[in-house]
């Protein structure tokens, strides 16, 4: 096929092409991608419900304490002002726990930590994984082999054991837990982004940037990573859910955030000590919070995957 | 086939070597070093220097790593100063119990997941399919400890069918003599994988049903039963082997939680108790053993796959 612009000077080619463009500007492609995504996503009722629920829980945990004042840090005061293990009733809609802390307020107080650690460690893990995977896939060769063997080794260690080792060596605080959970969960995104990079780097537009003398940094930063954004976003969503579960597991094992702070896993761990006494309000509300948030995040991730793949189908 | 096995063995060897390096690096991160762990916070600098010299901890790191590797070859995983006992002997008592738990729950998970996933594939987009998918989502979101605690609440406290924890003195053989003690822990751990396995089985059967040889079998007049069980099932089962190998780290991690919930005296409980006692050498020892067991398990799954699939057995790759 002969190129009609082949023998023209560059300026003329540009002018010619501009005439051919439809009126309406050059943002069309980018715009329709996101609009398309939002459209497909919003058709999924389960995903919308999940998103609304997640927003509700975030508002509940972060703004709730401003409207529903409870003491969650002073243990002495809590024991003085209320009975411990009190059933739901006037004054304490969801009862109190073994220290006399109000459970509804504690759901907000602990939820804040669970959500912050969940989201933050997923973001840190995704950033590390994306950079690592993109570098590995882009450079290929022995560097790729070496980097991927490291990922293999990491993935063959049962995560919980590694986490417990790290948490035992460094006493856990909330920021440290973010780093530790991220340190064990960047491996899968690294592998996914590497696979994505391997296929992207052979595409014409990447070859074109190379031919035009674009630096490697530019190719990775401006072309490969932005084009993997679908994979990144979908995986990050699932990663938040996994991180919340991981923190809950650590909390359950007594390795969560130290007192007077708490998280949902630590709360549940406290509650199940009284399972035989029938204090259901110390188990079900917090258990439900964990399960529903994780289910919601999974539905959102699923819907995002569908929404972002539409673009692939229609191309 | 032999080329494949050798390559796979070499790969497993290097992964295990890498894991020993990771564990060694972690052991170097202990605040104050092993001397502080062994001698306590009141030890003087002189005592610490003496301890480090005696144990060779003042030598270059690569020499220490080499000694660590040599020790591993002799079965020396380090020393638990809290328990005053070698890590190896502590783990040796517990490992069989964890293996029983992991094996039994994986078996149970497969027994449930294979028929469920097959039925989902055959009745795609039916009410059954949607229900199982929905339940699977919830199972996936349920933390293992919550599943375990709920099972204890209903089946142990309310109904009194099963004990809430197995007797801690019983050996791993108790799974045959007192199976009722193992029911709840095994179900808890199986719940972790059933959703994933049945989902995988569903798509695997769907893929297989689209193959040419299925059409051929149908054209030759084989009944639906024969097509499904004689042709589709056997081929769809193969990739499941690889999935089990890949899921093994998660199952072993889940076993840790399950053991904590049920006070089941396996390696996971040992690890959790060690972590709560700041017994870092023991935590690192169990981490290493759990990982090596996982790597060997995945290796076994891959070798079985190679033995079962002629494309790998004869194809060379």
């Amino acid at each position: 096929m002969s190129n009609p612009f082949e023998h023209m000077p560059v300026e003329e080619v540009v002018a010619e092409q501009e005439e051919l463009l439809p009126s309406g500007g050059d943002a069309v492609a980018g715009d329709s991608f996101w609009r398309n995504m939002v459209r497909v996503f919003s058709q999924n009722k389960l995903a919308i419900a999940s998103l609304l629920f997640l927003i509700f829980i975030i508002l509940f945990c972060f703004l709730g304490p401003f409207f529903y004042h409870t003491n969650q840090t002073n243990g002495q005061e809590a024991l003085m002002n209320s009975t411990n293990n009190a059933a739901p009733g006037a004054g304490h809609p969801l009862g109190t726990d073994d220290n006399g802390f109000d459970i509804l307020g504690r759901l907000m107080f602990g939820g804040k930590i669970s959500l912050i650690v969940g989201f933050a460690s997923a973001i840190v893990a995704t950033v590390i994984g994306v950079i690592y995977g993109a570098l590995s896939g882009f450079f290929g060769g022995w560097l790729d082999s070496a980097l991927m063997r490291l990922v293999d080794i990491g993935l063959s260690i049962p995560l919980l054991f590694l986490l417990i080792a790290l948490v035992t060596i460094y006493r856990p605080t909330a920021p440290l837990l973010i780093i530790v959970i991220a340190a064990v969960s960047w491996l899968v995104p690294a592998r996914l982004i590497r696979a994505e990079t391997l296929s992207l780097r052979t595409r014409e537009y990447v070859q074109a940037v190379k031919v035009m003398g674009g630096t490697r940094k530019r190719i990775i930063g401006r072309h490969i990573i932005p084009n993997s954004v679908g994979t990144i976003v979908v995986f990050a969503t699932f990663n938040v859910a996994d991180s919340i579960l991981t923190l809950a597991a650590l909390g359950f094992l007594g390795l969560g955030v130290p007192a007077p702070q708490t998280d949902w896993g630590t709360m549940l761990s406290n509650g199940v000590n009284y399972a035989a006494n029938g204090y259901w309000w110390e188990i079900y509300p917090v258990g439900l919070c964990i399960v529903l948030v994780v289910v919601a995040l999974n539905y959102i991730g699923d819907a995002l995957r569908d929404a972002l793949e539409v673009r692939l189908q229609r191309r | 086939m032999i080329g494949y096995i050798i390559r796979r063995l070499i790969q497993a060897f290097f992964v295990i070597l890498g894991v020993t390096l990771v564990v060694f690096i972690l052991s170097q991160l202990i605040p104050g070093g092993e001397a502080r762990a062994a001698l306590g916070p009141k030890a003087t600098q002189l005592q610490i220097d003496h301890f480090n010299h005696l144990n060779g901890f003042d030598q270059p790191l690569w020499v220490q790593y080499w000694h660590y590797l040599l020790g591993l070859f002799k079965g020396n995983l380090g020393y638990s100063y809290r328990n005053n006992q070698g890590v190896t002997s502590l783990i040796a008592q517990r490992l069989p119990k964890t293996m029983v738990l992991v094996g039994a729950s994986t078996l149970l998970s497969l027994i449930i997941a294979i028929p469920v996933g097959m039925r989902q594939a055959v009745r795609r987009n039916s009410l059954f399919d949607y229900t199982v998918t929905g339940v699977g989502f919830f199972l996936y979101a349920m933390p293992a400890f919550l599943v375990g605690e709920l099972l204890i609440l209903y089946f142990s406290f309310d109904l009194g069918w099963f004990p809430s924890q197995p007797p801690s003195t019983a050996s791993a053989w108790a799974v045959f003599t007192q199976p009722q003690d193992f029911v709840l822990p095994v179900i808890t751990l199986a719940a972790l994988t059933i959703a994933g396995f049945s989902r995988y089985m569903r798509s695997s059967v769907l893929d297989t049903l689209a193959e040419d040889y299925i059409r051929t079998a149908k054209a030759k007049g084989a009944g639906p039963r024969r097509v499904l069980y004689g042709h589709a099932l056997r081929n769809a089962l193969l990739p499941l082997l690889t999935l089990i190998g890949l899921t093994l780290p998660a199952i072993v991690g889940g076993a840790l939680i399950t053991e904590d919930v049920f006070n089941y005296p396996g390696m996971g409980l040992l690890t959790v108790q060690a972590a709560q006692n700041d017994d870092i050498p023991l935590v690192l020892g169990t981490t290493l053993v759990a990982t090596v067991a996982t790597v060997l398990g995945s290796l076994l799954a891959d070798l079985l796959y190679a033995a079962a699939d002629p494309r790998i057995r004869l194809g060379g790759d």
Side-chain angles (χ1 to χ4, degrees), chain A residues 156 161 171 242 253 268 284 295, chain B residues 140-141 145 154 271 276 278:
Chain A
S156 61
F161 279 86
R171 300 275 84 202
D242 288 345
L253 297 174
L268 192 59
Y284 290 110
V295 169
Chain B
Y140 176 79
F145 51 86
Y154 292 119
T271 312
Q276 284 160 352
D278 274 328

Side-chain angles (χ1 to χ4, degrees), chain A residues 149 152-153 155-162 164-166 168-171 191 242 245 248-250 252-255 265 268 272 275-276 283-284 287-288 290-292 294-295 298-299 302, chain B residues 11 14-15 18-19 22 26 29-31 137-138 140-143 145-146 149-150 153-154 157 249 252-253 256-257 260-261 267 271-272 275-276 278 280 283-284 286-287 290-291 294-295:
Chain A
R149 290 299 81 74
D152 285 346
I153 291 169
L155 282 176
S156 61
I157 305 177
L159 284 190
L160 218 46
F161 279 86
L162 190 59
I164 289 175
L166 283 170
T168 316
I169 293 171
Y170 305 105
R171 300 275 84 202
R191 196 177 250 186
D242 288 345
L245 277 182
L250 280 178
F252 183 79
L253 297 174
L255 301 167
L268 192 59
V272 296
I283 300 175
Y284 290 110
L288 213 56
I290 299 174
V291 172
L292 287 181
V294 172
V295 169
N298 280 320
Y299 275 131
D302 249 25
Chain B
Q11 192 199 341
F14 277 105
V15 168
V19 173
V22 170
L26 285 175
L29 298 176
I30 302 175
F137 254 126
F138 266 90
Y140 176 79
M142 290 273 266
F145 51 86
L146 193 56
E149 293 295 349
L150 292 179
L153 272 180
Y154 292 119
F157 291 158
V252 173
L256 184 146
I257 296 276
D260 186 66
V261 170
M267 230 173 55
T271 312
V272 174
Q276 284 160 352
D278 274 328
I280 298 172
V283 172
L284 292 178
T286 55
T287 305
T291 311
T294 310
V295 171

